[in-house]
Every structure is written in structure tokens, then in C-alpha cells.
Amino acid sequence: MKNNEFYSNPGKSNPSGSNPQCGRLAALILVLIVLCAHCARPESDRGQVVAYVSEDQVFSEPILREFETETGIKVNAVFDTEETKSTGVLNRLVAEKNNPQADVFWANEPIRAEILKQQGISTPYVSLSAAGIPDIFKDPQGHWTGFSARTRVLVVHQKVEIPPDSIQAFTDPHWRGQGVIANPLFGTTTTALAALFTSWGGERAKAFLQELKQNEVRLSSSNGESADLVAAGEFAFSLVDSDDAVSRMRRGSPIRMVLPDQSEDQIGCLVLPNAVVLIKGGPNPENGKRLIDYLLSKETERRLALSDAAQIPLHAGVEPPPEMPPIENIKTMQVDYAEVAGRMQEIMPFLKEWVGY
Amino acid sequence: MTVRLAVLWIAVVILAVAGLVPLLTMFLQSVVVDGQFNLSFYAQIVTSSRQWSLLGNSLILASLTTLGTTLVGLPLGILLGKSDLPLRRTFIFLFTIPLLIPPYVTAVSWFDVLGRNGLLSKSYPSLAATTSSWLFGLPGCVLVLSSTFLPVVMILTITFLKTVNPHLEEAARLSSNWFGVLKGVTVPLARSGIFLASLLVFLLSLGEFGVPMFLRYNVFPVEAFTQFSAFFDYGAAAAAAVPLALITCLVLLLEANFLREKTYQLRPASGAALQIRLGRLRNVVFLTVSLFCIVLVLLPLSALLVQSASQAAYTEAIWRAGDSLLRSLLYAAMGASLLVLLGFATGYLIHSRALGICRSVDTLTVVLFAMPSTVIGIGLISLWNQPSTTFIYATPAIILLGYIAQYTALSSRITVSTLSQIPVSMEEAAEISGAGWLRQVALIIAPLAKRGLAGAWLVCYIFCLRDTGITMMVYPPGRDTLPVRIFSLMANGPPDLIAALCIILILCTLLPLSLLAVVIRLKRQES
């Protein structure tokens, strides 16, 4: 019956002529327009900095929050997911080259930072905070600066009595079907392979990869998953980043960590510092520089060393995490990061084919 | 041009800008390389065995999920919609929970049950490796997606059973038991709804990428995401999406030919619906359904609760994701409101056939709904990532555009169904008496359709809140949502923190629903 009343005289219910339904609808649309306008309003350039971050969010976010607290500058960040680690935001930066949205790129290794330099996306900035960091971990032109390093380590299940001590174990028939590595198209595994291509040369590195296949080395989606698979006893060992190993060890997983290739005649382990980059044409360059200064400080290195990231400080005098030796006690693989970056782009088609893409 | 046509055209243009243009942009990038027409991306797909294998995986996953949900959802829908089983509403609510939350959250919760360190491993350590390897692969994906989409079949079965004329069932009951009636009368009469549910499940499973990605099962949507996120290869990503788009169009063609008119006319049948009396079987059936509910819904949720059971985890979760949570709620509310407005216009257009392109608009909304979210996300980025459109690209407006592109079909179709229950004569009478179209909408159509529109808002709100695919690809710096934050925190994030975040997300989804249920109950008691 109510409907019929509407039908017979729509305006009767409100003699004044104003229609409450119309009013409500108009109010709703107005509120939506205001909210949309608010959403479509870019934040003020002052008091903010835009950071693209490929370091794990769980480790990097507390550092960025601390920066916000200390400086009052809000950090708007984009983080990589595990699956596209260190390639997702890098490629977003490349896609935004002509329309930069980021001020700072916090890379979890220097190779992607070097790629940004080679593509003209970064701009030099030499921070005073980087004074104590060895030159080997800095770009000579100041496009990127390294800090808080990880190493590539072997993570081995505790049930293995004599653990492997070299990456050559992946091709050793003794370990057939017992090794796992992350997909080499992503993350630091790509970097590690590019470093091998640089150190060994293409032929030997390609042969090594073919032997990996023959020795039934399995691929996982990420270093974290590789460490989990070893912790679960599904594989005997894997090559992962030190933070992947330490975080699981601290959770009580039955694994141990081995620094590979430490003998005199071996190549050493690859050290991967974080790298921070100032983006050319970013919207907040001054705040970007302040964030870079903060990230390169001893205090940030100390915090990253104490956290589950367990990263090795590059400043002298900052305590390393308990599970890791000081950087000077590690036999490191001697590589030129710029050369590795160039090599990485060259070998991508081969790696895609190797993986089966 | 009348006001009505102007409004409808505006809606069509908004839909085209949000959904169609990004898709066309992507398609163009897949056929133009360095300014030249080039089909090399497609040649790679056709000649690559990997691509065929991925396509096979996608089809197998979608088919098995559809089969599983239909085989279980149909009898479950009949039991919950037509029998005297106790606690039917409670069961409907519980079985619907997995649909309301992001599918990968369900995957995480199953991981907490069947994973290497999951609940099961505590009691049966030797089984954990087997269940874990089983979870990470096709069986796990089918399990998670089936539990997610089971409510689609269940709810549509319940809904369409109500449209069956009870007099026909009464007549059939004279010569047959209930099994015969269901087989010979009820199910055949509701088959369009059941078929529609199966198609929906097939399309949703085909486009799903979060679960296969988490459970390491390679399918086409994951490929599109990888091509884009890892290599930023727009052309390859677009080309990787085309086979899925073609399959989607084929399925929609099927739907258009066999179902469309039938599924729009959702009028409850006149007369009281007949109820199946389970008699002696009541207790057995009740126990079976309870057990099934416990295993499929309550067990994984309990695993999440157990995993997150510490105050520290929740404190850290709020500290880490409180802002993302608020943004999620805001964006979902705004997205739902915009979707209801736009869906009302497109739904009205489709219902009234006011424009010649009404069929195309309907097809577009459904194609966009079925399209993998990664594809829409990539299309939006390639279109809006320009200096002149930073006010869209660098703000949450791009997320809202994504919601409009992907979810307009929901509000549009609910509107069509709602409008089909309002007599056209009411609108005509108002027109004859001189009311303008906006006035008709505000005073007659909207009030009469308010229940349907409220339902549409709620459905859209839930889908926007649980959205991961689009938001993950396009969110501006510092403006991520809770599902996205959970996804990125999964990289080395402590399991208890991830579980706590998932529980918070589930609560945020269920809270408005529970409030609504309370309000409805109070109103009923009042009346």
C-alpha cells in the first residue's frame, strides 16, 4: 500500500516540495565527491618522502618509522612482495622513469642500484654518514652507497653430519636431489649467479647451471621458502641470504649456517650490502637526502644487526649480529658490482630459458 | 538528450575509462613493438610449451574447483535451503565466511593446519611432510579455492530453489519420494541457477592468482603478474592474459545464449515452499554437515587463531598495520558506494534497454569481473602513469578506478535483478504524471530497490575489502591496504604476526555483516 501512495502522489508526503530521498542521494553523492577529491589530492611535497623498498618490509619498516619519529618527515613507501623480491619496485622505478614518483630506492643489494645508475634513473649523492663505509661498497660516482650487508650462505639441516662447505656441493653427485635454490630469475639468487658468471666466465658458469639440473637441484619460489624447506628436512641444504638463515635459527628451526668457499683456494662468499639511491627528479629531493643520511648512519646499521635481519655492519666499530662474524673475518668473493650488474642483464635470457620461461 | 540518457551515457563513459580503455591500451602494447605492428608476443605464447602447460594448469584448476564446489554446494544448498536441518542459518553464515575473506588468507590458514609446522604436525609429525607437499600444488589449490567458492554454489542454489513452483513439487510428491522429486522436478527447474553458479566459480577460479602464487602452482594469471612485476614487460603480460580473456568470452557467450534472461528473473515462486523433512536421517545429516563445516571452515580458522594467540602478535599487528586497516575500510566503503551508483546506472541501462549498447555494457562488466586482476592492474598503470595524470596515478583514485573496473558487474547485476521485481507500471505512471527521471529514481525506484541496493553495497564492500590483485599492483606509495600489507609482510614476517593480521582482516569483514544481521533482526522484532 505504501507503494501505491508513492504512485498516486509522489509529492504528497512532503508538502514543502523538498524530497528527503533526493536530499539524501545528493548528500551521499556530495560526500563521495569530497572523499574522492581528498583521495585524488597528492600529499603536500613538504614533510614527506617517497621510498621504494626491496628490503623485507618486516625489517625495513621499523627503521622508516623511526626516521619519521626523529625527523617528523612522513615516509610513504612501496614494498616488494616475496615473489618479486628486488625486481618489482626496481621495475616500477624503470616504468616511472619519465614520471618519477619515488625519492629514494632502498635496495636489498647493490646490483639493482647499479642498474638504475646505468639507466639514468639515479642521481649522485654522497652522504656524510657514509664516511666510515669502505669504498668497495660505494659507487665511485656516488649513485649508490652500501650499508648493512648480508652474505650468501649455505643453510644446512642439522641432521646432516658433515655439512657441505662450498656451492660446488650442488653439483656433487653425493648431494644429488638434496639441494634446493630459489628461482634465479628473482632476487639475490640472480645476483649470485651473475657474480659467478663474472668470476668464472660464461662457459664455466653455464656448465655449472647445467650440472645443477643434472644433479636434480630443485627450484623454490624464494630464499625464504628454500630455508623453510631445509628446516623441514625436505632438502639437506640450500644457498640463501644470511638473514633468511638467521631468522629461522632464532625461531628454533633445526638448521645451521655455513659460510661457503672460505678456504684459500676457494672463491669466497658473496657479500651483498643494502644500497640506497637518490632518484633523479624525485618529488622531495631534500627529504630524500635526509632519509639517505639516516639509513647510512651507524645507528641504522646497529638496529639492522640486532634485528632478525642480522645484517653485518659496514661501519667500523658497530657490533655484528651474534650469529655472524665481522665483515673483516669473512673471505668475500671479489666482484665489481657494476660489472655484475651488466652481466646480470646479459644473462637474463639464458636464465629464463634455463628456468623454462 | 534527456537527463536519463545523459546519466546513462556518463555511466557508460566512466566504465569505459576505468575498464575498457586500460584493457585496450594493454592489448595495443602487446601488438605494437617499437612503433611497428608485431605479433611476436603471441608467437611466443603459441610456440612455448610452458605457456600451453600454464593454460592447461589454469583450466584443470578451474575445472576441478568447479566440479568440487558443484558436487558439494548443490546438495548443501538443498539441505540448507529446503530441509528441516537444525541451525541452517548458522551453517549458511559459517560456510559463507571463506568467500568473504581474501582467498590467500584461507590458504595461509590451511598452511597453518597442513604445513610442515602446522597443527597436524603437532599430533602426526610423520604426516606433515606429505600433507605439506599435498597442499603446495594442485590439490591444495583446489581445496582452498573450493572452500572459498563453495558459498557461491550454495547460496545461488538456495536462491534459485525459492523460485521453483511448490505446486509442481507437491504434484510430484504424490508419486515419488523427495529424492525423485529433487531429481525430476526441483533441480531441473533450478538448473539455470546452478549452471550460473558453476560458471561463476569457473571464471573466478580461472582468474585467481593469490592462492596459486602462495601455493606455488603455476597458472596463467601468475604468469601475467610475473611478466609484469618481475620484468615489467607490458606486452608479454598483456599477451599472457589474452588466452584467459578468450576463454572468459567463450564462457560468457555460453551464458548469454542459455542463461541470461532466466537468471535475471529472480522472482520467488508464489505459495509456501515445501520443506524436506529429514526424519530419522536428521541427526546423521546434521552431524555430517557439522563435521564438514568444522573441517572446511572452523579448523583452518582455528589454526589461524592458535598461531596468533599472543597479545604481542596483535599489538605488533596493530602497530604495523593499523593505518592500512583504516585505509582498507575507507577505500572499501568508497569503492562500494561508487560501485552502487555506477552499477545502478548500468543495471538500469541493461534492465530498461535504454541504449542500444546495453548488451555490450553488460558483457563488458562481466568480462572485466572475470578478467584476472593483474591484467586490469597492468592496464591501469600503463594508461595512467603519465605526468599529466599524476593526480590519478599517485593517489588512491587509481585504486578506486580498479575497483570500478573489476567489480561493477556485481552491483550492476544485483540492480538488474532488483529492478526486474519492480513493476514497470510504477515508473510509467510517474512519468505520465510529470515526474522527471531523477525524481522517479529518487522517489520511486531507489526506495523500492533499497534492499537490493543495500545488498549490492555490502557485496561490493566485501569484494573491495578483500581485493589484493589490483590494489597490490597500483597502490600509491604509503597507501597500501591491509590485504596488500599482509602479502608483503609474508616475506620473512613472523607467522604469528601474519596470522594475527589475517584474523584482524577477517573480523573487519565480518563485523559490518554481523551488525547488519543484528539490525535486521531488531527491525523484524519491532515489526
Side-chain angles (χ1 to χ4, degrees):
Chain A
M1 287 302 104
K2 210 172 178 181
N3 294 344
N4 287 342
E5 282 167 21
F6 257 117
Y7 167 65
S8 58
N9 194 346
K12 196 177 177 182
S13 61
N14 192 346
S16 67
S18 63
N19 299 308
Q21 283 88 352
C22 273
R24 277 182 220 148
L25 192 66
L28 173 70
I29 294 172
L30 194 66
V31 168
L32 272 174
I33 290 170
V34 170
L35 282 171
C36 287
H38 176 75
C39 280
R41 179 180 58 91
E43 287 192 16
S44 160
D45 282 357
R46 281 184 177 178
Q48 71 156 346
V49 59
V50 179
Y52 284 12
V53 184
S54 64
E55 176 61 64
D56 288 341
Q57 183 175 7
V58 71
F59 303 137
S60 55
E61 196 176 29
I63 305 282
L64 298 177
R65 290 274 180 105
E66 199 63 36
F67 171 78
E68 285 182 335
T69 309
E70 286 187 19
T71 63
I73 297 170
K74 181 168 170 42
V75 181
N76 290 322
V78 172
F79 297 94
D80 253 332
T81 63
E82 176 73 357
E83 284 72 15
T84 58
K85 190 59 63 191
S86 71
T87 52
V89 293
L90 168 87
N91 286 313
R92 189 163 169 169
L93 284 164
V94 174
E96 291 172 356
K97 183 179 176 180
N98 298 321
N99 183 30
Q101 301 296 315
D103 301 299
V104 171
F105 177 39
W106 175 353
N108 63 354
E109 40 89 342
I111 308 305
R112 266 84 185 185
E114 186 62 40
I115 290 174
L116 290 187
K117 176 191 170 188
Q118 291 171 7
Q119 298 213 6
I121 294 168
S122 59
T123 190
Y125 174 62
V126 178
S127 167
L128 292 176
S129 302
I133 294 173
D135 286 346
I136 185 178
F137 300 120
K138 295 177 194 167
D139 173 56
Q141 280 88 47
H143 281 263
W144 58 265
T145 310
F147 65 106
S148 293
R150 296 172 296 168
T151 62
R152 294 291 285 176
V153 298
L154 290 173
V155 60
V156 187
H157 195 276
Q158 283 179 355
K159 72 182 177 191
V160 177
E161 287 177 6
I162 305 171
D165 63 356
S166 165
I167 58 168
Q168 298 284 3
F170 282 106
T171 58
D172 184 345
H174 173 71
W175 297 106
R176 181 181 292 274
Q178 297 186 63
V180 58
I181 59 166
N183 187 336
L185 292 178
F186 310 115
T188 46
T189 309
T190 324
T191 312
L193 288 179
L196 284 183
F197 272 77
T198 311
S199 287
W200 286 348
E203 262 185 42
R204 186 177 168 194
K206 281 181 182 175
F208 175 73
L209 281 171
Q210 293 309 335
E211 285 173 39
L212 283 188
K213 265 191 179 171
Q214 286 160 12
N215 214 33
E216 297 171 17
V217 171
R218 300 293 174 81
L219 290 189
S220 70
S221 65
S222 64
N223 289 313
E225 193 194 7
S226 292
D228 287 335
L229 287 167
V230 173
E234 291 180 27
F235 292 91
F237 70 104
S238 180
L239 183 67
V240 299
D241 298 328
S242 49
D243 56 346
D244 297 305
V246 171
S247 60
R248 271 116 190 126
M249 285 160 66
R250 288 187 184 175
R251 278 182 226 155
S253 299
I255 54 172
R256 72 183 101 170
M257 186 169 60
V258 177
L259 287 172
D261 300 299
Q262 294 296 293
S263 305
E264 268 188 24
D265 56 339
Q266 291 178 313
I267 57 171
C269 66
L270 183 65
V271 173
L272 295 168
N274 284 275
V276 66
V277 174
L278 186 66
I279 301 298
K280 187 160 78 180
N284 315 285
E286 290 311 312
N287 289 343
K289 287 174 185 172
R290 287 186 69 180
L291 177 59
I292 290 175
D293 293 343
Y294 185 84
L295 292 178
L296 295 177
S297 67
K298 284 185 176 182
E299 179 56 23
T300 299
E301 287 210 312
R302 192 186 63 79
R303 291 183 57 134
L304 283 170
L306 290 177
S307 74
D308 278 351
Q311 295 182 346
I312 306 167
L314 300 182
H315 278 102
V318 182
E319 274 289 300
E323 297 85 353
M324 301 298 299
I327 190 78
E328 55 272 21
N329 293 358
I330 299 173
K331 179 174 185 188
T332 59
M333 192 187 287
Q334 295 302 305
V335 288
D336 176 343
Y337 293 113
E339 197 184 340
V340 174
R343 203 66 198 242
M344 190 164 80
Q345 289 174 307
E346 279 172 33
I347 65 170
M348 279 312 277
F350 171 77
L351 290 181
K352 276 189 185 180
E353 195 185 328
W354 186 80
V355 171
Y357 269 77
Chain B
M1 186 185 280
T2 64
V3 173
R4 183 174 81 142
L5 289 183
V7 170
L8 296 181
W9 271 116
I10 289 170
V12 171
V13 169
I14 291 173
L15 183 66
V17 169
L20 183 62
V21 179
L23 282 191
L24 291 178
T25 310
M26 267 197 73
F27 181 70
L28 264 181
Q29 287 183 334
S30 73
V31 293
V32 177
V33 181
D34 298 329
Q36 302 286 319
F37 180 75
N38 190 320
L39 291 175
S40 58
F41 291 122
Y42 293 93
Q44 280 169 22
I45 288 179
V46 173
T47 55
S48 160
S49 59
R50 174 182 162 79
Q51 304 294 334
W52 286 106
S53 143
L54 288 175
L55 189 59
N57 286 355
S58 289
L59 289 172
I60 289 169
L61 177 60
S63 304
L64 288 178
T65 305
T66 307
L67 190 69
T69 49
T70 308
L71 287 180
V72 178
L74 176 61
L76 196 62
I78 292 171
L79 278 173
L80 298 179
K82 216 168 167 56
S83 79
D84 61 348
L85 191 78
L87 300 176
R88 291 190 303 279
R89 283 190 180 167
T90 309
F91 279 130
I92 292 173
F93 175 73
L94 289 174
F95 278 118
T96 307
I97 289 175
L99 182 66
L100 307 180
I101 56 183
Y104 79 82
V105 171
T106 309
V108 172
S109 60
W110 274 109
F111 176 65
D112 287 340
V113 177
L114 301 176
R116 290 175 294 270
N117 299 310
L119 273 187
L120 199 69
S121 71
K122 308 273 190 293
S123 313
Y124 305 99
S126 56
L127 264 183
T130 311
T131 53
S132 174
S133 62
W134 182 83
L135 179 67
F136 282 89
L138 179 64
C141 283
V142 173
L143 169 73
V144 172
L145 291 182
S146 294
S147 68
T148 300
F149 297 131
L150 178 67
V152 174
V153 180
M154 182 190 77
I155 291 168
L156 281 175
T157 301
I158 293 171
T159 309
F160 275 82
L161 285 179
K162 287 180 182 163
T163 66
V164 174
N165 188 340
H167 301 307
L168 295 174
E169 292 178 318
E170 276 171 352
R173 279 288 284 143
L174 295 174
S175 61
S176 178
N177 59 17
W178 260 114
F179 182 74
V181 174
L182 287 171
K183 191 179 157 198
V185 177
T186 314
V187 172
L189 285 175
R191 67 175 182 273
S192 57
I194 297 160
F195 192 41
L196 172 72
S198 302
L199 284 185
L200 265 178
V201 171
F202 184 85
L203 290 176
L204 289 169
S205 311
L206 196 69
E208 172 61 32
F209 98 107
V211 172
M213 183 183 268
F214 180 72
L215 296 178
R216 321 298 178 212
Y217 185 65
N218 284 331
V219 289
F220 244 93
V222 176
E223 173 76 0
F225 177 78
T226 307
Q227 288 288 358
F228 180 72
S229 285
F231 311 119
F232 251 56
D233 195 337
Y234 286 98
V242 166
L244 284 185
L246 288 177
I247 294 170
T248 304
C249 289
L250 276 176
V251 172
L252 291 177
L253 205 64
L254 204 69
E255 192 244 356
N257 283 335
F258 295 107
L259 290 175
R260 191 164 299 198
E261 298 304 328
K262 290 175 189 166
T263 53
Y264 279 157
Q265 308 298 322
L266 260 179
R267 289 196 186 92
S270 57
L274 289 192
Q275 194 175 55
I276 302 171
R277 303 211 171 275
L278 295 170
R280 282 176 305 165
L281 290 173
R282 199 165 177 243
N283 287 342
V284 177
V285 174
F286 177 70
L287 278 176
T288 310
V289 174
S290 302
L291 197 66
F292 187 62
C293 183
I294 288 169
V295 171
L296 201 71
V297 182
L298 299 181
L299 181 67
L301 288 182
S302 309
L304 269 185
L305 275 172
V306 169
Q307 184 72 265
S308 66
S310 77
Q311 196 191 335
Y314 283 94
T315 309
E316 190 177 355
I318 295 292
W319 178 77
R320 279 189 178 274
D323 53 344
S324 301
L325 172 61
L326 291 177
R327 272 193 297 273
S328 288
L329 297 175
L330 177 67
Y331 297 167
M334 287 176 64
S337 306
L338 288 170
L339 283 165
V340 167
L341 285 176
L342 186 65
F344 180 82
T346 53
Y348 182 90
L349 164 65
I350 295 161
H351 173 69
S352 64
R353 300 180 182 176
L355 297 174
I357 56 167
C358 60
R359 263 282 162 88
S360 309
V361 170
D362 188 30
T363 305
L364 175 64
T365 60
V366 181
V367 166
L368 287 168
F369 180 65
M371 192 64 68
S373 50
T374 47
V375 177
I376 293 175
I378 296 165
L380 285 170
I381 292 173
S382 54
L383 179 67
W384 295 104
N385 179 19
Q386 318 288 341
S388 56
T389 53
T390 299
F391 67 99
I392 297 283
Y393 180 69
T395 66
I398 193 145
I399 299 177
L400 296 177
L401 278 176
Y403 291 162
I404 287 174
Q406 183 114 64
Y407 301 127
T408 298
L410 295 171
S411 51
S412 180
R413 287 227 160 179
I414 293 172
T415 301
V416 173
S417 182
T418 306
L419 292 180
S420 71
Q421 294 172 44
I422 299 173
V424 184
S425 55
M426 305 197 75
E427 208 180 324
E428 289 170 349
E431 197 170 351
I432 291 167
S433 53
W437 185 72
L438 286 177
R439 199 172 161 87
Q440 290 170 37
V441 168
L443 296 179
I444 296 176
I445 303 172
L448 290 176
K450 67 183 176 192
R451 276 195 166 190
L453 295 179
W457 191 92
L458 212 57
V459 169
C460 292
Y461 172 81
I462 288 166
F463 271 79
C464 292
L465 192 63
R466 76 204 270 282
D467 179 83
T468 312
I470 289 182
T471 317
M472 188 155 71
M473 303 207 74
V474 303
Y475 79 89
R479 309 284 185 93
D480 60 352
T481 57
L482 186 55
V484 171
R485 182 155 296 206
I486 295 174
F487 219 99
S488 55
L489 277 171
M490 279 180 181
N492 277 327
D496 58 341
L497 169 67
I498 303 300
L501 286 167
C502 289
I503 292 289
I504 290 172
L505 181 59
I506 292 169
L507 288 177
C508 286
T509 313
L510 295 185
L511 214 59
L513 282 179
S514 309
L515 283 176
L516 189 75
V518 170
V519 170
I520 289 172
R521 178 165 289 189
L522 285 175
K523 280 208 164 184
R524 274 188 188 158
Q525 281 173 356
E526 274 175 21
S527 62

